[in-house]
Amino acid sequence: MTERTESVETVFVDQADPLAAPLLEELAIEYSTRYGRTRDEIYDDLSTYPAEEFAAPGGALLVLVEDGTSVAGGAFRRYDDTTAELKRIWTSSAHRRRGLGRIVLRELEAAITRAGYSRIFLTTGPRQPEAVALYLAAGYTALFDRSLPPQGVGIHGFEKVLHTPTALPSAWAAKEYESV
């Protein structure tokens, strides 16, 4: 799995933007295949979700674009004052195993930090082992008993505490500290 970033552009979009359409369409197919509802039911849920949930200042929706085509994406929204919730992490089935999911997470985490959040929360379903692997590899902590079978767990929750850079002391404060 190689990470190619030179040909991929990160674009922040509105949910109604045509660049977001492939994300919603393919997620609907993916979820219906794995969880049994119809593609149309799931697409309706995804496309009618309040767009303002994924808009600044509390949220964002991004798409990775390569040669004019949406190849991956994801979103976050406000969960509480200090926590953002990741939603709709997606990689096009034609572009998987290239590290694009890691790029989406990295870009979302940077936007979440800029938005002032210090923690990320997310859930994924029991029939998405590749998502579980992605989140664990990216340093997320499982909020469920990993020794249980996925179907026994149900919804898989994760969290990640963001380590924001701390301010360096001023030269005067550093000099004062050294003299103690």
Side-chain angles (χ1 to χ4, degrees), residues 90-132:
W90 162 82
T91 300
S92 166
S93 58
H95 295 276
R96 292 185 179 159
R97 309 292 307 155
R98 294 181 44 204
L100 297 173
R102 288 193 314 254
I103 296 170
V104 168
L105 284 180
R106 187 173 58 236
E107 294 288 337
L108 286 171
E109 289 173 3
I112 287 167
T113 300
R114 286 190 303 273
Y117 296 108
S118 59
R119 178 178 173 261
I120 299 173
F121 172 75
L122 68 94
T123 60
T124 193
R127 295 182 180 153
Q128 295 172 261
E130 55 283 275
V132 170

Side-chain angles (χ1 to χ4, degrees), residues 5-13 19-20 62-73 100:
T5 57
E6 67 278 353
S7 66
V8 178
E9 177 186 9
T10 301
V11 182
F12 288 87
V13 298
L19 287 172
L62 71 82
V63 177
L64 298 185
V65 178
E66 183 175 58
D67 299 326
T69 301
S70 299
V71 295
L100 297 173

Side-chain angles (χ1 to χ4, degrees), residues 31-116:
Y31 292 165
S32 69
T33 301
R34 294 183 189 221
Y35 297 106
R37 292 175 54 210
T38 70
R39 177 219 141 335
D40 290 341
E41 289 172 324
I42 294 171
Y43 182 79
D44 188 52
D45 287 348
L46 293 170
S47 63
T48 60
Y49 200 85
E52 60 272 8
E53 293 273 332
F54 305 123
L61 173 64
L62 71 82
V63 177
L64 298 185
V65 178
E66 183 175 58
D67 299 326
T69 301
S70 299
V71 295
F76 72 91
R77 66 180 183 169
R78 181 183 187 277
Y79 186 76
D80 64 34
D81 288 344
T82 61
T83 308
E85 180 181 19
L86 289 182
K87 302 292 284 181
R88 301 183 176 158
I89 307 301
W90 162 82
T91 300
S92 166
S93 58
H95 295 276
R96 292 185 179 159
R97 309 292 307 155
R98 294 181 44 204
L100 297 173
R102 288 193 314 254
I103 296 170
V104 168
L105 284 180
R106 187 173 58 236
E107 294 288 337
L108 286 171
E109 289 173 3
I112 287 167
T113 300
R114 286 190 303 273

Side-chain angles (χ1 to χ4, degrees), residues 121-169:
F121 172 75
L122 68 94
T123 60
T124 193
R127 295 182 180 153
Q128 295 172 261
E130 55 283 275
V132 170
L134 172 66
Y135 301 134
L136 290 172
Y140 286 76
T141 301
L143 301 175
F144 57 92
D145 185 345
R146 293 182 54 210
S147 69
L148 296 174
Q151 293 299 334
V153 171
I155 299 299
H156 292 47
F158 291 87
E159 72 174 347
K160 185 174 190 177
V161 175
L162 299 172
H163 302 288
T164 56
T166 56
L168 295 174

